[in-house]
Amino acid sequence: MGLNLDTVRQRLLARRAALVDEDRLSEADRAPVTLDQESVGRLSRIDAMQVQAMALASQRRRAQERERIDTALQRLDSGEYGWCVNCGEEIAIARLDHAPEVPTCLECARGT
């Protein structure tokens, strides 16, 4: 494999740390919406609830990405990194360079 696995590990760890930081920063957006019903209009309440829903969706996406990163780090530790978990073929270096957490080759990702 032509990838420097130490560099891959550092990229994965840096991205994971960034996701954790993003979670910490967005905690205020996920707080329950508490607005005074008499002083705030209906549209403001709807807007606040939409912001909260978007923040929760972003949190779920970050959690899924952290899970993919953790799995990629486990594959690095076991020596299975860079090999498709479905078919066992080597994953293209360009694909891993673009998204180091991917577990499958392009053919398996397409479902072909």
Side-chain angles (χ1 to χ4, degrees):
M1 173 167 299
L3 285 176
N4 181 331
L5 296 181
D6 290 330
T7 302
V8 170
R9 181 181 304 279
Q10 293 308 312
R11 282 183 62 198
L12 289 168
L13 291 171
R15 179 61 185 147
R16 190 178 196 298
L19 291 168
V20 170
D21 286 344
E22 288 175 29
D23 267 345
R24 238 181 283 126
L25 292 174
S26 70
E27 282 179 19
D29 289 336
R30 292 189 317 265
V33 177
T34 54
L35 297 172
D36 181 8
Q37 298 291 325
E38 294 181 18
S39 67
V40 177
R42 181 173 157 242
L43 292 178
S44 294
R45 289 191 303 274
I46 291 171
D47 185 50
M49 291 184 333
Q50 286 177 334
V51 167
Q52 181 186 31
M54 289 187 314
L56 288 171
S58 292
Q59 178 190 18
R60 282 191 296 274
R61 282 191 300 275
R62 286 190 299 272
Q64 291 169 342
E65 187 175 353
R66 276 195 316 271
E67 204 170 296
R68 287 191 305 270
I69 289 170
D70 289 343
T71 303
L73 289 168
Q74 290 172 357
R75 288 193 312 274
L76 267 171
D77 292 339
S78 68
E80 297 173 2
Y81 183 80
W83 301 95
C84 179
V85 297
N86 289 340
C87 69
E89 293 293 320
E90 191 171 1
I91 300 172
I93 292 175
R95 180 167 167 78
L96 291 172
D97 190 44
H98 174 71
E101 73 279 0
V102 296
T104 58
C105 68
L106 192 55
E107 298 301 319
C108 289
R110 287 182 178 156
T112 57

